[in-house]
Amino acid sequence: MDMEKGIGLVAEQLASGGRNIVFTGAGISTESGIPDFRSQGGIWDQYRPVYFDEFMRSRAARIEYWRQKTAFYRDLQKARPNQAHLAIAQLHEMGLVEAVITQNIDGLHQASGIPEESVIELHGSNRRVRCMSCGKIFSIEEAHKRIEEGDPAPECECGGYLKPDTISFGQAMPEREVEKAIELSRSADFFLVVGSTLLVHPAAAMPGYAQEAGAFLAIINLSETPFDTSCNVLIRGKAGEVLPKIAKRLETK
Ligand code: NAD
């Protein structure tokens, strides 16, 4: 489909008065300088994932995990919301986006001005750290300060292991967030996917729930997804270029 036509159809859906839900993946943040996972040069080209059971079992695995998180933290410290995050925040402000379900752990939707309660973080957040024994929350800055001071895998005063509050491979998904995301997806009239391969489950099942319930599905993504043939609109373009054009069309309505 011609890109301008796709942009027009998405704007039309957003303005049609139904329940509009946006679903984002790592691709919305690449233009903020945070690499995604699966593109060339992405995170999996540089690191091997540390599974949750390894983290809990082995100090060497915890050290490796924190080493990877330190590199990600440096990218995150520099990252600011890009034109795509800002356009979604503008649409939210205009009352045209009810909630954002995100696979991202970078907090950039909140930084763009969308209130905390309207962002559902399916994979947790890298902005905080949790003790795996007592559940106490620490700031990410505090944990990284301890790493810089020579403690490569910091622990809680209770002896528990500290871990960024994100979901690792093999770790249970946050129940409340998953339930909320399913509920929003099932009740959506319009469901917009931005920057996700739609391969990681259960997050990637959300567009399917929306479709089953009769929602109009649109995708803005640079590479293929399993929903490309069944969605209503597919825009093969950069989120930071496409979304501001959509918001602009609605400004003048
Ligand atoms: P992914 O890495 O599997 O896929 C990203 C998709 O975005 C790709 O299809 C790519 O073609 C597309 N893309 C890249 N830049 C784009 C752009 N500028 N505009 C439009 N599309 C673009 O990411 P995923 O599907 O979100 O799943 C991977 C997992 O990685 C998630 O679980 C998430 O938690 C985690 N992750 C998060 C971050 C972050 O918080 N920023 C970064 C890396 C990975």
Side-chain angles (χ1 to χ4, degrees):
M1 183 186 292
D2 161 58
M3 188 183 289
E4 287 307 314
K5 186 167 176 220
I7 287 171
L9 285 170
V10 170
E12 208 173 276
Q13 284 297 318
L14 284 166
S16 66
R19 197 169 203 198
N20 304 326
I21 304 297
V22 174
F23 177 96
T24 65
I28 197 172
S29 295
T30 54
E31 290 166 77
S32 292
I34 305 173
D36 62 16
F37 273 9
R38 290 172 179 77
S39 297
Q40 231 185 354
I43 288 169
W44 294 147
D45 276 358
Q46 300 169 51
Y47 300 111
R48 75 165 186 88
V50 175
Y51 283 71
F52 185 61
D53 64 332
E54 289 178 78
F55 180 93
M56 294 306 290
R57 201 176 61 220
S58 140
R59 180 164 164 84
R62 288 192 288 283
I63 292 174
E64 169 59 19
Y65 183 80
W66 274 108
R67 189 182 73 83
Q68 297 181 8
K69 282 290 180 177
T70 302
F72 188 65
Y73 178 66
R74 292 209 178 103
D75 285 340
L76 261 192
Q77 272 184 313
K78 285 182 270 165
R80 296 289 172 269
N82 64 50
Q83 293 305 316
H85 296 104
L86 295 172
I88 294 173
Q90 186 187 345
L91 293 169
H92 179 270
E93 178 74 28
M94 291 162 81
L96 300 179
V97 166
E98 183 174 325
V100 178
I101 304 169
T102 188
Q103 292 178 282
N104 295 344
I105 54 177
D106 55 29
L108 290 179
H109 286 299
Q110 293 92 326
S112 74
I114 303 182
E116 202 72 50
E117 64 274 15
S118 303
V119 182
I120 294 90
E121 293 177 315
L122 284 174
H123 294 161
S125 173
N126 212 69
R127 293 176 302 163
R128 48 177 195 267
V129 167
R130 187 183 291 275
C131 169
M132 291 293 101
S133 295
C134 72
K136 190 171 168 188
I137 297 288
F138 296 80
S139 79
I140 194 84
E141 288 77 18
E142 191 181 336
H144 282 286
K145 189 163 171 277
R146 283 173 61 180
I147 292 170
E148 269 168 37
E149 286 165 4
D151 179 1
E155 293 179 5
C156 183
E157 59 260 22
C158 81
Y161 310 136
L162 296 188
K163 182 178 173 296
D165 199 16
T166 57
I167 308 300
S168 293
F169 287 105
Q171 187 174 1
M173 295 282 292
E175 238 171 81
R176 213 160 24 118
E177 280 76 4
V178 172
E179 269 170 27
K180 178 85 185 146
I182 293 176
E183 181 196 312
L184 287 168
S185 305
R186 288 202 167 129
S187 62
D189 295 299
F190 175 51
F191 196 89
L192 174 64
V193 173
V194 184
S196 175
T197 47
L198 297 177
L199 290 175
V200 181
H201 281 266
M206 302 304 158
Y209 292 132
Q211 271 184 325
E212 277 160 30
F216 186 102
L217 177 66
I219 299 176
I220 303 170
N221 202 47
L222 284 177
S223 67
E224 281 177 20
T225 85
F227 287 87
D228 286 3
T229 50
S230 66
C231 68
N232 303 90
V233 171
L234 174 64
I235 302 179
R236 200 56 90 228
K238 279 189 162 186
E241 289 169 13
V242 175
L243 278 158
K245 288 188 186 167
I246 293 168
K248 193 133 197 78
R249 289 209 187 190
L250 291 160
E251 268 172 15
T252 51
K253 284 215 167 185

